[in-house]
Amino acid sequence: MRLLTIEEETVTVPLTLYVDARFLSPYALSAYVALTQKGLDFEVRLVDLDQGDQRTAPFLHRSPIGKVPVLAHGDFYVSESSAIAEYLEEAFAPPACPALYPEEPRRRALARQVQSWLRTDLQALRRERPTEVIFEGAHAAPLSDAAQCEAARLVRAATALLLHGNGHLCGVWTLADIDLALMLNRLILPADEASELVPQPLRDYATAQWSHPGVSRWVASRG
């Protein structure tokens, strides 16, 4: 019997991603795209949040914080999309697998800065434009004053961040591009008066990012 090297063992241990059953979580999407970008084989397990699956003992064993997404790599479990992305980048590192972030420290920091901002800010916009408007075509009510201010800030920041990125935030594709495109699509895809706040270059950017194979597979998985 031949013993596996650490690298071989890492690759051969099965990967499972636990996502919400309705495929609505932007964070689960980010983890899904990360696995797809890496070219990894993985299984998807659905967690019915409406039925409270996230509060059951089996799921809490995998994710003590009771949230999706959760990545299982053999008997190792990790929650939070940012932690999942960092784990995948280190466990399946370039050049063996495609990169999720730039190698250059400053550009990598920029990508992580954008991801952190999108996960912790723009709360009114996220609340008033949930991902149901993106994936299910749900009705989008007019934005409140607070959400309009956040939308304007999003557009201003995205325009500045992409000014010298050659179509990407960091000059090359990063996982942060998917996260930013999703946030922009909260405004763009409902095709209402809020979408008029987004200039054409940002619309083109969001459309290009949305064509990523991982996003296409995610949308197709929704049935």
Side-chain angles (χ1 to χ4, degrees):
M1 181 181 69
R2 185 176 71 87
L3 295 179
L4 296 176
T5 66
I6 292 176
E7 292 78 9
E8 289 173 324
E9 186 176 15
T10 298
V11 171
T12 56
V13 171
L15 288 158
T16 302
L17 183 66
Y18 293 79
V19 307
D20 58 302
R22 293 173 63 190
F23 287 87
L24 289 173
S25 168
Y27 313 113
L29 169 62
S30 185
Y32 188 99
V33 171
L35 285 158
T36 304
Q37 178 70 15
K38 286 288 184 185
L40 301 170
D41 291 327
F42 62 99
E43 179 183 355
V44 173
R45 298 266 181 98
L46 303 183
V47 181
D48 193 331
L49 303 181
D50 295 332
Q51 295 298 318
D53 287 357
Q54 72 276 22
R55 295 188 291 273
T56 62
F59 186 75
L60 290 173
H61 169 71
R62 298 175 175 90
S63 173
I65 58 179
K67 294 169 59 179
V68 295
V70 176
L71 177 70
H73 190 195
D75 59 359
F76 172 72
Y77 300 97
V78 58
S79 301
E80 297 292 334
S81 59
S82 57
I84 290 171
E86 290 184 15
Y87 175 73
L88 291 173
E89 188 76 326
E90 294 176 5
F92 303 92
C97 294
L100 302 177
Y101 300 100
E103 182 179 1
E104 197 278 318
R106 293 185 179 183
R107 292 197 295 168
R108 180 181 291 246
L110 175 60
R112 288 177 169 165
Q113 166 194 295
V114 171
Q115 287 187 299
S116 179
W117 169 55
L118 293 173
R119 283 161 169 72
T120 59
D121 200 353
L122 308 174
Q123 295 183 14
L125 181 57
R126 286 187 282 148
R127 182 174 59 252
E128 296 181 26
R129 292 297 169 92
T131 52
E132 283 86 343
V133 304
I134 297 176
F135 297 117
E136 296 182 344
H139 172 71
L143 296 178
S144 67
D145 289 346
Q148 286 193 44
C149 289
E150 290 185 354
R153 185 152 53 90
L154 170 64
V155 167
R156 183 173 64 251
T159 299
L161 289 164
L162 290 165
L163 190 59
H164 304 293
N166 193 28
H168 300 289
L169 284 167
C170 302
V172 295
W173 183 91
T174 74
L175 191 58
D177 285 299
I178 297 297
D179 295 340
L180 180 57
L182 184 142
M183 188 63 75
L184 289 168
N185 277 336
R186 294 177 190 265
L187 297 172
I188 296 168
L189 293 185
D192 60 0
E193 65 278 3
S195 67
E196 298 175 3
L197 299 171
V198 185
Q200 192 61 46
L202 292 186
R203 291 169 179 265
D204 294 341
Y205 164 80
T207 298
Q209 297 303 326
W210 221 236
S211 67
H212 188 282
V215 177
S216 299
R217 284 176 54 182
W218 173 269
V219 172
S221 296
R222 304 189 77 256

